[in-house]
Amino acid sequence: QLQLVESGGGLVQPGGSLRLSCAASISGDSLDYYGLGWFRQAPGKEREGVSCISRSDGSTYYVDSVKGRFTISRDNAKNTIYLQMNNLKPEDTGVYYCAAEFDPFITTVRTMCQATKFPNWGQGIQVTASS
């Protein structure tokens, strides 16, 4: 059993920064057993994988549009995952979700970072970059 709660969203000017946090409440095991990810969904679009981090070696994946601007990290001792978002653009606007998975058969973080691979989701939080 795993519950996820996002925080840190809001409205910023283009070029500004936000840091999203996702606090995990876990029953029975530790966060280090889970692969973690951040996803976003804009109106009329499918939910896309923004960034994911593996449960084993900490390998990361970023969608091309955010490379060099966003950074994913995890703090297993605090049961928290973060997404640092710098130089935000209007096209980054959407609802952001954190998610967790524990499928032992997923082999790479690239393969993992699809919404269909994740059974555990936060409630979502709005991020808006607008002038």
Side-chain angles (χ1 to χ4, degrees):
Q1 183 177 339
L2 180 68
Q3 295 185 1
L4 304 168
V5 180
E6 301 98 335
S7 62
L11 173 65
V12 297
Q13 298 281 340
S17 298
L18 288 172
R19 188 178 75 160
L20 303 182
S21 299
C22 178
S25 297
I26 305 172
S27 177
D29 56 15
S30 300
L31 190 63
D32 56 353
Y33 297 130
Y34 292 83
L36 303 169
W38 287 97
F39 296 77
R40 68 186 179 190
Q41 188 165 21
K45 295 185 177 181
E46 295 182 350
R47 190 171 300 184
E48 69 170 342
V50 177
S51 182
C52 293
I53 185 166
S54 74
R55 62 185 170 274
S56 55
D57 61 2
S59 298
T60 58
Y61 163 83
Y62 298 91
V63 68
D64 286 346
S65 61
V66 309
K67 288 181 178 177
R69 299 188 296 118
F70 290 12
T71 303
I72 190 172
S73 61
R74 61 190 296 165
D75 189 333
N76 293 333
K78 296 181 179 179
N79 287 341
T80 303
I81 179 175
Y82 304 96
L83 184 68
Q84 179 67 45
M85 303 183 293
N86 296 328
N87 191 23
L88 282 159
K89 302 177 179 180
E91 53 263 41
D92 295 317
T93 294
V95 177
Y96 283 67
Y97 302 84
C98 67
E101 62 83 31
F102 51 89
D103 187 347
F105 299 105
I106 295 177
T107 58
T108 68
V109 68
R110 175 67 176 85
T111 300
M112 185 185 75
C113 210
Q114 303 176 59
T116 54
K117 304 295 185 181
F118 285 78
N120 302 292
W121 293 86
Q123 79 283 1
I125 191 165
Q126 180 70 37
V127 170
T128 302
S130 176
S131 60

